[in-house]
Coordinates of all heavy atoms in Angstrom, one line a residue:
M748 N 0.9 -1.2 0.0 CA 0.0 0.0 0.0 C 0.9 1.2 0.0 O 1.8 1.3 0.8 CB -0.9 0.0 1.2 CG -1.8 1.2 1.3 SD -2.8 1.3 2.8 CE -3.6 -0.3 2.8
N749 N 0.6 2.2 -0.9 CA 1.5 3.4 -1.0 C 0.9 4.4 0.0 O -0.2 4.3 0.6 CB 1.6 3.9 -2.4 CG 0.3 4.4 -3.0 OD1 -0.6 4.7 -2.3 ND2 0.3 4.6 -4.3
H750 N 1.6 5.5 0.1 CA 1.2 6.5 1.1 C -0.1 7.2 0.8 O -0.9 7.6 1.7 CB 2.3 7.6 1.3 CG 2.6 8.4 0.0 ND1 3.2 8.0 -1.1 CD2 2.2 9.7 -0.2 CE1 3.3 8.9 -2.0 NE2 2.6 10.0 -1.5
T751 N -0.4 7.4 -0.5 CA -1.6 8.0 -0.9 C -2.9 7.2 -0.5 O -3.8 7.7 0.0 CB -1.6 8.3 -2.4 OG1 -0.4 9.0 -2.8 CG2 -2.8 9.1 -2.9
K752 N -2.8 5.9 -0.9 CA -3.9 5.0 -0.5 C -4.0 4.9 1.0 O -5.2 4.9 1.5 CB -3.6 3.6 -1.1 CG -4.0 3.5 -2.5 CD -3.8 2.0 -3.0 CE -3.9 1.9 -4.5 NZ -3.5 0.6 -5.0
A753 N -2.9 4.9 1.7 CA -3.0 4.8 3.2 C -3.7 6.0 3.8 O -4.5 5.9 4.7 CB -1.6 4.6 3.8
R754 N -3.3 7.2 3.3 CA -3.9 8.4 3.8 C -5.4 8.5 3.5 O -6.2 8.8 4.4 CB -3.2 9.6 3.1 CG -3.8 11.0 3.5 CD -3.5 11.4 4.9 NE -4.2 12.6 5.3 CZ -3.6 13.8 5.4 NH1 -2.3 13.9 5.2 NH2 -4.2 14.8 5.7
R755 N -5.8 8.1 2.3 CA -7.2 8.2 1.9 C -8.0 7.1 2.7 O -9.1 7.4 3.3 CB -7.4 7.9 0.4 CG -6.9 9.1 -0.3 CD -7.2 9.0 -1.8 NE -6.7 10.2 -2.5 CZ -6.2 10.2 -3.7 NH1 -6.2 9.1 -4.4 NH2 -5.8 11.3 -4.3
L756 N -7.5 5.9 2.8 CA -8.2 4.9 3.6 C -8.3 5.3 5.1 O -9.3 5.1 5.7 CB -7.4 3.5 3.4 CG -8.1 2.3 3.9 CD1 -9.5 2.1 3.1 CD2 -7.3 1.1 3.7
S757 N -7.2 5.8 5.6 CA -7.2 6.2 7.0 C -8.3 7.3 7.2 O -9.0 7.3 8.2 CB -5.8 6.7 7.4 OG -5.9 7.3 8.7
N758 N -8.4 8.3 6.3 CA -9.4 9.3 6.4 C -10.8 8.8 6.4 O -11.6 9.1 7.3 CB -9.3 10.3 5.2 CG -8.1 11.3 5.4 OD1 -7.4 11.3 6.4 ND2 -7.8 12.0 4.3
I759 N -11.1 7.8 5.5 CA -12.4 7.2 5.5 C -12.7 6.5 6.7 O -13.8 6.6 7.3 CB -12.5 6.3 4.2 CG1 -12.4 7.1 2.9 CG2 -13.8 5.5 4.3 CD1 -12.2 6.3 1.7
I760 N -11.8 5.7 7.2 CA -12.0 4.8 8.4 C -12.2 5.7 9.6 O -13.0 5.5 10.5 CB -10.8 3.8 8.6 CG1 -10.9 2.8 7.5 CG2 -10.9 3.1 9.9 CD1 -9.8 1.8 7.4
S761 N -11.4 6.8 9.7 CA -11.5 7.7 10.9 C -12.8 8.4 10.9 O -13.5 8.6 11.9 CB -10.3 8.6 11.0 OG -10.3 9.5 9.9
I762 N -13.3 8.8 9.7 CA -14.6 9.4 9.6 C -15.7 8.5 10.1 O -16.6 8.8 10.8 CB -14.9 10.0 8.2 CG1 -14.0 11.2 8.0 CG2 -16.4 10.4 8.0 CD1 -14.0 11.7 6.5
I763 N -15.6 7.2 9.6 CA -16.6 6.2 10.0 C -16.5 6.0 11.5 O -17.6 6.0 12.2 CB -16.3 4.9 9.3 CG1 -16.6 5.0 7.8 CG2 -17.1 3.7 10.0 CD1 -16.2 3.8 7.0
G764 N -15.4 6.0 12.1 CA -15.2 5.9 13.6 C -15.9 7.0 14.3 O -16.6 6.8 15.3
V765 N -15.7 8.3 13.8 CA -16.3 9.4 14.5 C -17.8 9.4 14.4 O -18.5 9.7 15.3 CB -15.7 10.7 13.9 CG1 -16.5 11.9 14.3 CG2 -14.2 10.9 14.3
V766 N -18.3 9.0 13.2 CA -19.7 8.9 13.0 C -20.3 7.8 14.0 O -21.4 8.1 14.6 CB -20.1 8.6 11.5 CG1 -21.5 8.2 11.4 CG2 -19.7 9.7 10.7
L767 N -19.6 6.7 14.1 CA -20.1 5.7 15.0 C -20.2 6.2 16.5 O -21.1 6.0 17.2 CB -19.2 4.4 15.0 CG -19.3 3.6 13.8 CD1 -18.2 2.5 13.7 CD2 -20.7 2.9 13.7
L768 N -19.1 7.0 16.9 CA -19.1 7.5 18.2 C -20.2 8.6 18.4 O -20.8 8.7 19.5 CB -17.7 8.1 18.5 CG -16.6 7.1 18.7 CD1 -15.3 7.8 18.9 CD2 -16.9 6.2 19.9
L769 N -20.5 9.3 17.3 CA -21.6 10.3 17.4 C -22.9 9.7 17.6 O -23.8 10.3 18.1 CB -21.5 11.2 16.1 CG -20.4 12.2 16.1 CD1 -20.4 13.0 14.7 CD2 -20.4 13.2 17.2
F770 N -23.1 8.5 17.1 CA -24.4 7.8 17.2 C -24.6 7.1 18.6 O -25.7 6.7 18.9 CB -24.5 6.7 16.1 CG -25.0 7.2 14.8 CD1 -24.2 7.3 13.7 CD2 -26.4 7.7 14.7 CE1 -24.7 7.8 12.5 CE2 -26.8 8.2 13.5 CZ -26.0 8.3 12.4
T771 N -23.5 7.0 19.4 CA -23.7 6.3 20.7 C -24.7 6.9 21.6 O -25.4 6.2 22.3 CB -22.3 6.2 21.4 OG1 -21.8 7.5 21.5 CG2 -21.4 5.3 20.7
P772 N -24.9 8.2 21.7 CA -26.0 8.8 22.6 C -27.4 8.3 22.2 O -28.2 8.3 23.1 CB -25.9 10.3 22.4 CG -24.5 10.5 21.9 CD -24.1 9.3 21.1
L773 N -27.6 7.9 21.0 CA -28.9 7.4 20.6 C -29.2 6.1 21.3 O -30.4 5.7 21.4 CB -29.0 7.1 19.1 CG -28.8 8.4 18.2 CD1 -28.8 8.0 16.7 CD2 -29.9 9.4 18.5
F774 N -28.2 5.4 21.8 CA -28.4 4.0 22.3 C -28.2 4.0 23.8 O -27.9 2.9 24.4 CB -27.5 3.0 21.7 CG -27.6 3.0 20.2 CD1 -26.6 3.4 19.3 CD2 -28.8 2.5 19.6 CE1 -26.8 3.4 18.0 CE2 -29.0 2.5 18.2 CZ -28.0 2.9 17.4
E775 N -28.4 5.1 24.5 CA -28.1 5.1 25.9 C -29.1 4.2 26.7 O -28.8 3.8 27.8 CB -28.1 6.5 26.5 CG -29.4 7.2 26.4 CD -29.3 8.7 27.0 OE1 -28.4 8.9 27.7 OE2 -30.2 9.5 26.6
K776 N -30.2 3.9 26.1 CA -31.2 3.0 26.8 C -31.0 1.5 26.4 O -31.7 0.7 26.8 CB -32.6 3.4 26.5 CG -32.9 4.7 27.2 CD -34.4 5.2 27.0 CE -34.6 6.5 27.7 NZ -35.8 7.1 27.3
V777 N -30.1 1.3 25.4 CA -29.7 -0.1 25.0 C -28.2 -0.3 25.2 O -27.4 0.0 24.3 CB -30.1 -0.3 23.5 CG1 -30.0 -1.7 23.1 CG2 -31.5 0.2 23.2
P778 N -27.8 -0.7 26.4 CA -26.4 -0.7 26.7 C -25.6 -1.6 25.8 O -24.4 -1.3 25.5 CB -26.4 -1.3 28.1 CG -27.7 -1.0 28.7 CD -28.7 -1.0 27.5
A779 N -26.2 -2.7 25.3 CA -25.4 -3.6 24.4 C -25.0 -2.8 23.1 O -23.9 -2.9 22.7 CB -26.2 -4.8 24.1
L780 N -26.0 -2.1 22.5 CA -25.7 -1.4 21.3 C -24.7 -0.2 21.5 O -23.8 0.1 20.7 CB -27.0 -0.8 20.7 CG -27.8 -1.8 19.8 CD1 -29.0 -1.1 19.3 CD2 -27.0 -2.3 18.7
L781 N -24.9 0.4 22.7 CA -24.0 1.5 23.0 C -22.6 1.0 23.1 O -21.6 1.6 22.6 CB -24.4 2.1 24.4 CG -23.7 3.4 24.8 CD1 -24.7 4.4 25.4 CD2 -22.6 3.1 25.8
V782 N -22.4 -0.1 23.8 CA -21.0 -0.7 23.9 C -20.5 -1.1 22.5 O -19.3 -0.8 22.2 CB -21.0 -1.9 24.8 CG1 -19.7 -2.7 24.8 CG2 -21.3 -1.5 26.3
I783 N -21.3 -1.7 21.7 CA -20.9 -2.1 20.3 C -20.5 -0.9 19.5 O -19.4 -0.9 18.9 CB -22.0 -2.9 19.6 CG1 -22.1 -4.3 20.3 CG2 -21.7 -3.1 18.2 CD1 -23.3 -5.1 19.9
F784 N -21.3 0.1 19.5 CA -21.0 1.3 18.7 C -19.7 2.0 19.2 O -18.9 2.5 18.4 CB -22.2 2.3 18.6 CG -23.1 2.1 17.5 CD1 -23.8 0.9 17.3 CD2 -23.3 3.0 16.5 CE1 -24.6 0.6 16.3 CE2 -24.2 2.8 15.4 CZ -24.8 1.6 15.3
C785 N -19.6 2.1 20.5 CA -18.5 2.8 21.1 C -17.2 2.0 20.8 O -16.2 2.6 20.4 CB -18.7 2.9 22.6 SG -17.9 4.2 23.4
A786 N -17.3 0.7 21.0 CA -16.1 -0.1 20.7 C -15.7 0.0 19.2 O -14.5 0.2 18.9 CB -16.3 -1.5 21.1
A787 N -16.7 -0.1 18.3 CA -16.4 -0.1 16.9 C -15.8 1.3 16.5 O -14.9 1.3 15.7 CB -17.7 -0.4 16.1
G788 N -16.3 2.3 17.1 CA -15.8 3.7 16.8 C -14.4 3.8 17.2 O -13.5 4.3 16.5
F789 N -14.0 3.4 18.5 CA -12.6 3.5 18.9 C -11.7 2.5 18.1 O -10.6 2.9 17.8 CB -12.5 3.2 20.4 CG -13.0 4.4 21.3 CD1 -14.1 4.3 22.1 CD2 -12.3 5.5 21.2 CE1 -14.5 5.4 22.8 CE2 -12.6 6.6 22.0 CZ -13.8 6.6 22.8
I790 N -12.2 1.4 17.8 CA -11.4 0.4 17.0 C -11.1 1.1 15.6 O -10.0 1.0 15.1 CB -12.1 -0.9 16.8 CG1 -12.0 -1.7 18.2 CG2 -11.4 -1.8 15.7 CD1 -12.8 -2.9 18.2
A791 N -12.1 1.7 15.0 CA -11.9 2.3 13.7 C -10.9 3.4 13.7 O -10.0 3.5 12.9 CB -13.3 2.8 13.1
I792 N -11.0 4.2 14.8 CA -10.0 5.3 14.9 C -8.6 4.7 15.2 O -7.6 5.2 14.6 CB -10.5 6.3 16.0 CG1 -11.7 7.0 15.6 CG2 -9.4 7.3 16.4 CD1 -12.4 7.9 16.6
G793 N -8.6 3.7 16.0 CA -7.3 3.0 16.2 C -6.7 2.5 14.9 O -5.5 2.6 14.7
V794 N -7.5 1.8 14.1 CA -7.0 1.3 12.8 C -6.5 2.4 11.9 O -5.5 2.2 11.2 CB -8.2 0.5 12.1 CG1 -7.8 0.1 10.7 CG2 -8.4 -0.8 12.9
S795 N -7.2 3.5 11.9 CA -6.8 4.6 11.1 C -5.4 5.2 11.5 O -4.5 5.5 10.7 CB -7.8 5.8 11.0 OG -7.8 6.5 12.2
F796 N -5.2 5.2 12.8 CA -3.8 5.6 13.3 C -2.8 4.6 12.9 O -1.7 5.0 12.5 CB -3.8 5.8 14.9 CG -4.4 7.1 15.3 CD1 -5.6 7.2 15.9 CD2 -3.6 8.2 15.2 CE1 -6.1 8.4 16.3 CE2 -4.0 9.5 15.6 CZ -5.3 9.5 16.2
I797 N -3.1 3.3 13.0 CA -2.1 2.3 12.7 C -1.8 2.4 11.2 O -0.6 2.2 10.8 CB -2.7 0.9 13.0 CG1 -2.8 0.7 14.6 CG2 -1.9 -0.2 12.4 CD1 -3.5 -0.5 15.0
L798 N -2.8 2.6 10.3 CA -2.6 2.7 8.9 C -1.6 3.9 8.7 O -0.7 3.8 7.8 CB -3.9 3.0 8.2 CG -4.7 1.8 7.8 CD1 -6.0 2.3 7.1 CD2 -4.0 1.0 6.8
I799 N -1.8 5.0 9.3 CA -1.0 6.2 9.1 C 0.5 5.8 9.5 O 1.4 6.1 8.7 CB -1.5 7.4 9.9 CG1 -2.7 8.0 9.3 CG2 -0.4 8.5 10.1 CD1 -2.5 8.6 7.9
Y800 N 0.7 5.2 10.7 CA 2.0 5.0 11.1 C 2.7 3.8 10.4 O 3.9 3.8 10.4 CB 2.1 4.9 12.6 CG 2.0 6.3 13.2 CD1 0.8 6.7 13.8 CD2 3.1 7.2 13.2 CE1 0.7 8.0 14.2 CE2 2.9 8.4 13.7 CZ 1.8 8.9 14.2 OH 1.6 10.1 14.7
Q801 N 1.9 2.9 9.9 CA 2.5 1.8 9.1 C 2.8 2.2 7.7 O 3.8 1.8 7.1 CB 1.6 0.6 9.2 CG 1.7 -0.2 10.4 CD 3.0 -0.9 10.5 OE1 3.5 -1.6 9.6 NE2 3.7 -0.8 11.7
Y802 N 1.9 2.9 7.0 CA 1.9 3.0 5.6 C 2.1 4.4 5.0 O 2.3 4.6 3.9 CB 0.7 2.3 4.9 CG 0.6 0.9 5.2 CD1 -0.3 0.4 6.1 CD2 1.5 0.0 4.6 CE1 -0.4 -1.0 6.4 CE2 1.4 -1.4 4.9 CZ 0.5 -1.9 5.8 OH 0.4 -3.2 6.0
Y803 N 1.8 5.4 5.9 CA 1.8 6.8 5.4 C 3.3 7.3 5.6 O 3.5 8.2 6.4 CB 0.8 7.7 6.1 CG 0.6 9.1 5.5 CD1 0.3 9.2 4.1 CD2 0.7 10.2 6.2 CE1 0.2 10.4 3.5 CE2 0.6 11.5 5.7 CZ 0.3 11.6 4.3 OH 0.1 12.8 3.8
R804 N 4.2 6.7 4.8 CA 5.6 7.0 4.9 C 6.2 7.3 3.6 O 5.7 6.9 2.6 CB 6.3 5.8 5.5 CG 5.9 5.5 7.0 CD 6.6 4.3 7.5 NE 6.3 4.1 8.9 CZ 7.1 4.6 9.9 NH1 8.1 5.4 9.6 NH2 6.7 4.5 11.2
C805 N 7.3 8.1 3.6 CA 8.1 8.3 2.4 C 8.6 7.0 1.9 O 9.2 6.2 2.6 CB 9.2 9.3 2.8 SG 10.4 9.5 1.5
P806 N 8.5 6.8 0.6 CA 9.0 5.5 0.0 C 10.5 5.5 -0.1 O 11.1 4.5 -0.3 CB 8.4 5.5 -1.4 CG 7.9 6.9 -1.7 CD 7.7 7.6 -0.4
H807 N 11.2 6.7 0.1 CA 12.6 6.8 0.0 C 13.3 6.6 1.4 O 14.2 5.8 1.5 CB 13.0 8.1 -0.6 CG 12.3 8.4 -1.9 ND1 12.6 7.7 -3.1 CD2 11.4 9.3 -2.2 CE1 11.8 8.1 -4.1 NE2 11.1 9.1 -3.6
C808 N 12.9 7.4 2.4 CA 13.5 7.4 3.7 C 12.7 6.7 4.8 O 13.1 6.6 5.9 CB 13.9 8.8 4.1 SG 12.6 9.8 4.5
Q809 N 11.4 6.3 4.5 CA 10.5 5.7 5.4 C 10.1 6.6 6.5 O 9.6 6.2 7.6 CB 11.1 4.4 6.0 CG 11.4 3.4 5.0 CD 10.2 3.0 4.1 OE1 9.2 2.7 4.6 NE2 10.4 2.9 2.8
G810 N 10.3 8.0 6.4 CA 9.9 8.9 7.4 C 8.3 9.1 7.4 O 7.8 9.0 6.3
V811 N 7.7 9.2 8.5 CA 6.3 9.4 8.6 C 5.9 10.8 8.0 O 6.5 11.8 8.4 CB 5.7 9.3 10.0 CG1 4.2 9.6 10.0 CG2 6.0 7.9 10.6
L812 N 5.0 10.8 7.0 CA 4.7 12.1 6.4 C 3.7 12.9 7.3 O 3.0 12.3 8.2 CB 4.0 11.8 5.1 CG 4.9 11.1 4.1 CD1 4.1 10.6 2.8 CD2 6.1 11.9 3.7
P813 N 3.7 14.2 7.1 CA 2.8 15.0 8.0 C 1.4 14.8 7.9 O 0.9 14.7 6.7 CB 3.2 16.5 7.6 CG 3.8 16.4 6.3 CD 4.4 15.0 6.2
V814 N 0.6 14.6 9.0 CA -0.8 14.3 8.9 C -1.7 15.6 9.2 O -2.9 15.5 9.1 CB -1.2 13.2 9.9 CG1 -0.6 11.9 9.4 CG2 -0.8 13.5 11.3
R815 N -1.0 16.6 9.6 CA -1.8 17.8 10.0 C -2.1 18.7 8.9 O -2.6 19.8 9.0 CB -1.1 18.6 11.1 CG -1.0 17.8 12.4 CD -0.5 18.6 13.5 NE -0.4 17.8 14.7 CZ -0.1 18.2 15.9 NH1 0.3 19.5 16.0 NH2 -0.1 17.4 16.9
T816 N -1.8 18.3 7.7 CA -2.1 19.1 6.5 C -3.2 18.4 5.7 O -3.4 17.2 5.8 CB -0.9 19.2 5.5 OG1 -0.5 17.9 5.2 CG2 0.3 19.9 6.2
L817 N -4.0 19.2 5.0 CA -5.1 18.6 4.3 C -4.6 17.9 3.0 O -5.2 16.9 2.6 CB -6.1 19.7 3.9 CG -7.0 20.3 5.0 CD1 -7.9 21.4 4.5 CD2 -7.8 19.2 5.6
L818 N -3.6 18.4 2.4 CA -3.1 17.9 1.1 C -2.0 16.9 1.4 O -1.2 17.1 2.3 CB -2.6 19.0 0.2 CG -3.7 20.0 -0.2 CD1 -3.0 21.1 -1.0 CD2 -4.7 19.4 -1.0
I819 N -1.9 15.9 0.5 CA -0.8 15.0 0.6 C 0.4 15.7 0.0 O 0.3 16.2 -1.1 CB -1.1 13.7 -0.2 CG1 -2.3 13.0 0.5 CG2 0.1 12.8 -0.3 CD1 -2.9 11.9 -0.3
P820 N 1.6 15.8 0.7 CA 2.7 16.6 0.2 C 3.3 16.0 -1.1 O 3.2 14.8 -1.3 CB 3.7 16.5 1.4 CG 3.3 15.3 2.1 CD 1.8 15.1 2.0
S821 N 3.9 16.9 -1.9 CA 4.5 16.4 -3.1 C 6.0 16.0 -2.8 O 6.6 15.2 -3.6 CB 4.5 17.5 -4.1 OG 3.2 17.9 -4.4
F822 N 6.6 16.6 -1.8 CA 8.0 16.3 -1.4 C 8.0 15.8 0.0 O 7.3 16.3 0.9 CB 8.8 17.5 -1.6 CG 9.0 17.9 -3.1 CD1 8.1 18.8 -3.6 CD2 10.0 17.4 -3.9 CE1 8.2 19.2 -5.0 CE2 10.1 17.7 -5.2 CZ 9.2 18.6 -5.8
C823 N 9.0 14.9 0.3 CA 9.1 14.5 1.7 C 9.8 15.6 2.5 O 10.8 16.1 2.1 CB 10.0 13.2 1.6 SG 10.5 12.6 3.3
P824 N 9.2 15.9 3.7 CA 9.8 16.9 4.6 C 11.1 16.4 5.2 O 11.8 17.2 5.8 CB 8.7 17.2 5.6 CG 7.9 15.9 5.6 CD 8.0 15.3 4.3
H825 N 11.3 15.1 5.2 CA 12.5 14.6 5.9 C 13.7 14.5 4.9 O 14.8 15.0 5.3 CB 12.2 13.1 6.4 CG 11.1 13.1 7.3 ND1 11.1 13.6 8.6 CD2 9.8 12.6 7.1 CE1 9.9 13.4 9.1 NE2 9.1 12.8 8.3
C826 N 13.6 13.9 3.7 CA 14.7 13.8 2.8 C 14.6 14.7 1.6 O 15.6 14.9 0.9 CB 14.8 12.3 2.3 SG 13.5 11.8 1.3
G827 N 13.5 15.4 1.4 CA 13.3 16.3 0.3 C 13.1 15.7 -1.0 O 12.9 16.4 -2.0
K828 N 13.0 14.4 -1.1 CA 12.8 13.7 -2.4 C 11.3 13.9 -2.8 O 10.4 13.9 -2.0 CB 13.2 12.3 -2.4 CG 14.7 12.1 -2.3 CD 15.2 10.7 -2.4 CE 16.7 10.6 -2.3 NZ 17.1 9.2 -2.1
K829 N 11.1 13.8 -4.2 CA 9.7 13.9 -4.7 C 9.0 12.6 -4.4 O 9.5 11.5 -4.6 CB 9.8 14.2 -6.2 CG 8.4 14.5 -6.8 CD 8.6 15.0 -8.2 CE 7.3 15.2 -9.0 NZ 6.2 15.7 -8.3
L830 N 7.8 12.8 -3.9 CA 6.9 11.7 -3.6 C 6.1 11.3 -4.9 O 6.0 12.2 -5.8 CB 5.9 12.0 -2.5 CG 6.6 12.3 -1.2 CD1 5.6 12.8 -0.2 CD2 7.3 11.1 -0.6
D831 N 5.7 10.1 -5.0 CA 4.9 9.6 -6.2 C 3.7 10.5 -6.3 O 3.1 10.9 -5.3 CB 4.5 8.2 -6.1 CG 5.7 7.3 -5.8 OD1 6.8 7.7 -6.2 OD2 5.6 6.2 -5.2
E832 N 3.3 10.7 -7.6 CA 2.1 11.5 -7.8 C 0.9 10.7 -7.3 O 0.8 9.5 -7.4 CB 1.9 11.7 -9.3 CG 2.8 12.6 -10.0 CD 2.7 14.0 -9.4 OE1 1.6 14.5 -9.2 OE2 3.7 14.7 -9.1
P833 N 0.0 11.4 -6.6 CA -1.2 10.7 -6.1 C -2.0 10.1 -7.2 O -2.2 10.8 -8.3 CB -2.0 11.8 -5.4 CG -1.1 13.0 -5.3 CD 0.0 12.8 -6.3
E834 N -2.5 8.9 -7.0 CA -3.4 8.3 -8.1 C -4.8 8.8 -8.0 O -5.3 9.1 -6.9 CB -3.4 6.8 -7.8 CG -2.0 6.1 -7.9 CD -2.0 4.7 -7.3 OE1 -3.1 4.2 -7.1 OE2 -0.9 4.2 -7.1
R835 N -5.4 9.0 -9.1 CA -6.8 9.5 -9.2 C -7.8 8.4 -9.1 O -7.5 7.3 -9.6 CB -7.0 10.4 -10.4 CG -6.1 11.5 -10.5 CD -6.5 12.6 -9.5 NE -5.5 13.7 -9.4 CZ -5.4 14.4 -8.3 NH1 -6.1 14.2 -7.3 NH2 -4.5 15.4 -8.3
Ligands
LIG1181 ZN1 11.8 10.9 2.6

């Protein structure tokens, strides 16, 4: 998995996790569903973090790329080499 796919997949999974956590107050009278939604939300967010730290790396120096920017960088901030063009 390249860094572009990892970033996009991580974004999608973390959004799903946040949405699951936002739905948990709806189930405060059904503790089983509340626990399931809460656990699934935290697991999704955890998986998105794991994806970032495993795969969102420079292909040249393996440095973790910055996650606090909206855009996927064109150049690695660690070694300065050009990153692959994002796939459409
Ligand atoms: Zn690099």
Side-chain angles (χ1 to χ4, degrees):
M748 180 183 308
N749 67 17
H750 67 282
T751 308
K752 280 184 186 169
R754 175 70 186 257
R755 289 184 179 150
L756 192 59
S757 172
N758 285 350
I759 291 167
I760 291 174
S761 63
I762 289 170
I763 290 170
V765 168
V766 168
L767 287 172
L768 289 177
L769 288 175
F770 275 110
T771 54
L773 298 176
F774 303 113
E775 64 183 337
K776 292 181 180 168
V777 189
L780 278 180
L781 186 137
V782 169
I783 289 170
F784 268 62
C785 205
F789 281 116
I790 288 170
I792 291 171
V794 167
S795 76
F796 276 107
I797 290 169
L798 273 177
I799 286 293
Y800 283 101
Q801 279 290 314
Y802 299 107
Y803 191 54
R804 292 178 174 270
C805 170
H807 308 290
C808 70
Q809 301 302 314
V811 176
L812 298 172
V814 291
R815 292 188 181 185
T816 59
L817 287 177
L818 298 175
I819 296 170
S821 301
F822 293 91
C823 173
H825 304 289
C826 66
K828 290 185 180 171
K829 186 168 175 40
L830 300 171
D831 303 335
E832 289 297 318
E834 297 165 14
R835 298 285 171 209

